Amino acid sequence: MVQSPTRLQILACVWGLVLVLSLIWLHLVALPDISAEGVDKGKDPALPPAREAVEPQAEEILTGHPEPEDELGEDSAETAAPTVPASTESLRKDVEVNSHPLRLRCRPEPTVKNKALQDNTLRPSLQELEADVVVESEVPRTLPGVETRHLHGRLGHFHNGSCCRIHPVPVSKDPKEKLNSYKGYGFHSAVSEARSVDRVQHDFRPSRCKSIAYPCTLPTASVIISFHNEHMVTLVRSLHSVLNHAPAELLQEIIVVDDASALDKVRYTVRDFERLQGELEDYCKALPKVKLVRLKRRRGTMGARMQGAWRATGDVLVFLDSHIEATPGWLEPLLAHVKEDRTSLAMPSTFPITADKLDFAPSNSLAPMSFTWTLGQHGFTRPKTYLTADSPIVAGGHIAVDRAFFLHLGGYDTNMSTYGGEDIETGFKTWMCGGSIKHVACSMIGHIFRSGAVWSGQAFPVSNEEVIRNKHRAAEVWMDEYVELFKVVSPLPMGEEVGDLTARRDLRRKLNCRSFSWYIENVATDHRMLDLTKPRWEIALMNVMTGGCIDTMGETKADKKIGVYPCHLQPVRKSTQALVMSPETGLIKVLRVPGFCLARQGKKVVLQNCKAQATADSSTHWRWIPSPELSSVGRVASESSCMVASHQMTPKSPFALAMEACSSSNKQFWTWLA
């Protein structure tokens, strides 16, 4: 006779079954995760997770105030740093990888081998490269003290471990010293010296960015920073921030290019110049992975950057200015984007560091940018919430790009002098020759924007004529028939020549690049296709400099002031921008408000009854004054006054409309959009 199992036996069987299922779950689910994130990536799963950086309070993020350890005139806390045994290289590598919270979580991806691309740059000779002075790092690639906020170890210490090579210096209370502090830099250099070169950069990224798992294997980066007569302490802080927040396994090197800095007693003190010499060299020798290149002769921004690019060995080139501060997690999004598409340039979010107090202002980041017909910059339409978005041109000098692809596109135009115009040329060339430019919101770089509020001089002399000349080089090569429009609104200054364009034009033909009309239609979609062959008299009147159109601003009554508003992408005859001009009668009719025309009233443009306007003195009627070079572009005049638009914020628009004495100002040029 078979006995029934007892209650104790049943419980034992149930617990045994639970144990077996638990072991199966661990084997199938938990252990693969540990392997993928630990053992398979050279990590020890027994190591504790990296210490997460302390998140700043919301108020600190909004105001940009430094942490208490970074008060003006006080040294930052440099003690009690965790150390890594210098003799144990394998342990050092483990700590390097594990020390960055973003690298604890990654996305396995198959390795894709890129095909070789031809270098289309005009490389200098080896003899010319060797003529420049190169100062290399004399320390290991990581230093003791690696942790979350110091991914390359504690920086700025002496060889014996004592702190620090640069100590903060209190700001003078003498108001006269403020002018001297701004002089030559356009920012409060004394405040910069009062802040630690190793100060904390908070994590300002959108919350969604912090949960992204980037590929486990990313390309390596060569960071290139060029400068001419930069403030030494500010430059060193830039280097600290890059090293502190770049994972050691991803940062190949930092190439710092001194574009022939020279003593200028009008703008700088002798002490400032001397610090850029021996002190800077000694400091660079004590920083990991830093190479200082001293150019024998001035090359200009584009030429200096190319000197860095030709010397670089990383997979990706990252160009940064010399008065920036990188923030946590800045590098991985850029490298991940370039890995996904090597033909796409990645542009970080560049936010202001205030010129007076050097506070962070992350809410005012530069976003996707487009161009004006004078080849300036203005904001480009983008989704309300996004992590990447198209940008027709480069906003500033901060980009990450596949090194081989950058050289394949011919690099920067080294015949552009000093600076200016490279953002436009890079945008046109990249998009038209098979690439793209993306604004990557998850990468944030702080940048000191110079201010003329205290000192109105230039950091280093460059004439407006030079900048215009550089833009003409870009326009002549890339803008096709639209170059005639640019020449009208931004003529080449007297005595300036664009120089030889043969190499850049040959490059465009060799790369089989698309037309500028394609670029307007598919990329810079904030612009309309223009028919420049003959003048039109309807339907929207666009100011060439601002890109804004005459708009009733919703007004429907006589004597009401009208303005300029960003042009509608598809103007129709019932829109607030729909106008028709009669060259014979001199009337400009407003189609949205039947019976009303535009009229001059002092320095304003207002609505007026067309019958009253027609019977008024004919000298007050509107005249179209075509430019000599292009009849489809001209001035809109009434007597001796012309319509003028400017970038001036008004209650309803980012532009302002007025009347002023007719002149050659490019603010007075208009054209009709069909």
Side-chain angles (χ1 to χ4, degrees):
M1 183 175 179
V2 179
Q3 294 183 345
S4 299
T6 65
R7 180 178 300 178
L8 185 60
Q9 290 174 324
I10 293 175
L11 287 174
C13 290
V14 170
W15 280 111
L17 180 61
V18 169
L19 179 61
V20 171
L21 292 175
S22 298
L23 291 173
I24 293 174
W25 179 86
L26 284 171
H27 179 72
L28 294 178
V29 180
L31 291 180
D33 285 349
I34 294 174
S35 176
E37 296 187 2
V39 177
D40 286 353
K41 299 306 296 177
K43 303 176 186 178
D44 184 355
L47 286 175
R51 183 173 62 85
E52 295 284 349
V54 178
E55 292 291 336
Q57 297 298 316
E59 183 180 359
E60 290 179 322
I61 294 179
L62 294 175
T63 62
H65 291 311
E67 292 187 350
E69 68 176 34
D70 192 36
E71 293 296 330
L72 297 184
E74 295 183 7
D75 191 10
S76 61
E78 295 285 355
T79 58
T83 59
V84 180
S87 60
T88 313
E89 188 63 26
S90 61
L91 177 58
R92 182 192 302 278
K93 292 180 180 179
D94 285 340
V95 176
E96 282 179 1
V97 176
N98 277 282
S99 64
H100 200 316
L102 295 180
R103 305 303 291 163
L104 292 176
R105 179 182 60 256
C106 62
R107 185 177 71 245
E109 285 188 352
T111 301
V112 178
K113 186 176 181 180
N114 291 319
K115 69 174 184 179
L117 294 174
Q118 182 179 0
D119 182 347
N120 290 313
T121 62
L122 301 176
R123 282 181 175 267
S125 65
L126 181 61
Q127 183 179 5
E128 184 178 358
L129 289 174
E130 291 177 344
D132 299 318
V133 176
V134 179
V135 178
E136 306 225 24
S137 170
E138 297 179 350
V139 298
R141 291 179 64 80
T142 53
L143 299 176
V146 173
E147 45 93 20
T148 305
R149 269 180 43 196
H150 297 91
L151 298 181
H152 283 79
R154 285 283 175 171
L155 309 176
H157 290 211
F158 289 100
H159 292 300
N160 62 6
S162 62
C163 178
C164 292
R165 291 176 178 269
I166 297 178
H167 285 280
V169 179
V171 178
S172 171
K173 295 182 180 180
D174 185 351
K176 295 180 181 178
E177 289 300 318
K178 186 171 185 178
L179 175 61
N180 293 330
S181 174
Y182 267 82
K183 196 173 180 180
Y185 302 115
F187 59 85
H188 207 327
S189 61
V191 170
S192 181
E193 294 186 12
R195 296 201 185 280
S196 168
V197 293
D198 206 52
R199 74 163 173 170
V200 174
Q201 290 86 27
H202 294 311
D203 189 346
F204 297 117
R205 293 172 299 157
S207 57
R208 287 187 298 161
C209 298
K210 301 176 184 180
S211 60
I212 294 176
Y214 295 105
C216 296
T217 304
L218 289 172
T220 58
S222 290
V223 174
I224 298 169
I225 297 176
S226 65
F227 73 92
H228 177 80
N229 286 0
E230 183 58 271
H231 182 242
M232 188 264 193
V233 171
T234 304
L235 172 59
V236 168
R237 186 179 297 110
S238 301
L239 301 178
H240 272 239
S241 69
V242 170
L243 288 164
N244 282 339
H245 301 301
E249 73 275 15
L250 300 182
L251 182 63
Q252 174 69 16
E253 61 199 346
I254 303 177
I255 302 176
V256 184
V257 183
D258 177 5
D259 190 18
S261 294
L263 180 59
D264 184 348
K265 294 182 180 180
V266 175
R267 291 176 174 78
Y268 312 95
T269 65
V270 175
R271 174 180 174 272
D272 283 350
F273 178 72
E274 289 177 344
R275 296 193 75 182
L276 274 180
Q277 305 311 304
E279 185 177 352
L280 177 62
E281 291 182 7
D282 289 342
Y283 207 103
C284 288
K285 291 177 183 177
L287 289 176
K289 303 180 180 178
V290 173
K291 179 187 295 183
L292 174 63
V293 180
R294 302 270 198 192
L295 301 185
K296 288 288 188 181
R297 61 179 178 86
R298 187 82 185 275
R299 273 26 177 248
T301 300
M302 285 65 77
R305 288 178 180 172
M306 287 307 300
Q307 290 293 321
W310 285 319
R311 290 173 164 88
T313 59
D315 303 316
V316 173
L317 304 178
V318 181
F319 295 98
L320 298 175
D321 284 343
S322 55
H323 37 272
I324 61 94
E325 293 185 46
T327 65
W330 73 278
L331 184 58
E332 295 90 331
L334 300 178
L335 298 181
H337 181 81
V338 174
K339 178 181 180 178
E340 183 179 352
D341 182 0
R342 73 181 305 202
T343 67
S344 186
L345 275 67
M347 189 177 75
S349 286
T350 300
F351 64 86
I353 299 175
T354 60
D356 196 57
K357 296 183 179 180
L358 267 67
D359 287 340
F360 300 119
S363 60
N364 299 322
S365 297
L366 287 180
M369 301 294 285
S370 187
F371 71 98
T372 67
W373 290 112
T374 57
L375 298 192
Q377 295 184 353
H378 71 85
F380 184 64
T381 54
R382 60 191 188 277
K384 290 184 178 180
T385 58
Y386 68 94
L387 295 181
T388 60
D390 289 350
S391 184
I393 64 171
V394 174
H398 302 160
I399 58 170
V401 55
D402 180 272
R403 178 164 61 95
F405 183 66
F406 178 77
L407 298 176
H408 180 67
L409 289 184
Y412 288 115
D413 181 358
T414 55
N415 286 314
M416 287 185 173
S417 58
T418 314
Y419 70 79
E422 75 281 0
D423 50 348
I424 298 295
E425 200 231 15
T426 300
F428 292 169
K429 177 181 63 177
T430 302
W431 283 102
M432 292 167 62
C433 301
S436 63
I437 301 173
K438 301 287 185 178
H439 174 242
V440 180
C442 289
S443 174
M444 301 198 70
I445 301 287
H447 177 270
I448 300 177
F449 287 89
R450 304 185 197 273
S451 170
V454 178
W455 178 72
S456 58
Q458 292 179 301
F460 46 86
V462 57
S463 65
N464 187 52
E465 288 76 14
E466 283 186 83
V467 176
I468 294 175
R469 171 194 173 273
N470 290 346
K471 292 179 178 180
H472 271 263
R473 286 187 63 84
E476 290 279 6
V477 174
W478 301 103
M479 290 184 70
D480 300 335
E481 68 273 18
Y482 286 83
V483 70
E484 300 303 325
L485 174 60
F486 172 68
K487 287 179 179 179
V488 170
V489 298
S490 188
L492 188 67
M494 292 289 292
E496 290 286 342
E497 296 182 358
V498 295
D500 188 5
L501 296 170
T502 303
R504 302 309 274 183
R505 286 172 171 159
D506 288 347
L507 174 69
R508 179 176 175 179
R509 284 190 289 270
K510 180 179 181 179
L511 297 177
N512 195 27
C513 303
R514 298 183 176 96
S515 69
F516 193 74
S517 293
W518 174 90
Y519 173 80
I520 293 292
E521 190 172 1
N522 295 276
V523 180
T525 52
D526 54 323
H527 288 285
R528 295 289 309 284
M529 299 291 290
L530 303 177
D531 184 355
L532 302 174
T533 59
K534 58 183 178 180
R536 296 176 177 271
W537 310 112
E538 62 179 18
I539 186 171
L541 186 56
M542 182 188 77
N543 179 263
V544 178
M545 191 194 78
T546 63
C549 286
I550 298 291
D551 197 300
T552 65
M553 312 302 288
E555 302 294 350
T556 59
K557 296 181 179 179
D559 299 324
K560 290 293 185 179
K561 181 180 177 181
I562 65 168
V564 175
Y565 194 79
C567 294
H568 300 164
L569 292 181
Q570 295 295 332
V572 294
R573 299 182 73 83
K574 290 186 179 181
S575 79
T576 56
Q577 297 180 350
L579 308 172
V580 174
M581 181 177 183
S582 171
E584 293 78 19
T585 64
L587 298 180
I588 301 179
K589 295 182 179 180
V590 180
L591 301 184
R592 178 70 174 263
V593 190
F596 278 83
C597 291
L598 302 187
R600 177 174 65 87
Q601 193 177 89
K603 293 185 177 182
K604 300 185 297 182
V605 180
V606 299
L607 295 179
Q608 187 63 264
N609 184 280
C610 288
K611 292 182 179 179
Q613 180 75 354
T615 57
D617 186 347
S618 60
S619 65
T620 64
H621 293 178
W622 299 104
R623 305 188 324 278
W624 180 261
I625 307 176
S627 69
E629 300 87 355
L630 209 59
S631 61
S632 58
V633 177
R635 299 175 180 85
V636 184
S638 175
E639 296 185 308
S640 61
S641 296
C642 286
M643 284 188 190
V644 58
S646 60
H647 289 278
Q648 180 181 333
M649 189 63 66
T650 60
K652 294 183 179 180
S653 172
F655 308 125
L657 175 66
M659 300 293 300
E660 67 178 25
C662 293
S663 68
S664 60
S665 169
N666 56 19
K667 296 186 294 184
Q668 296 183 4
F669 283 110
W670 302 79
T671 191
W672 289 91
L673 302 180

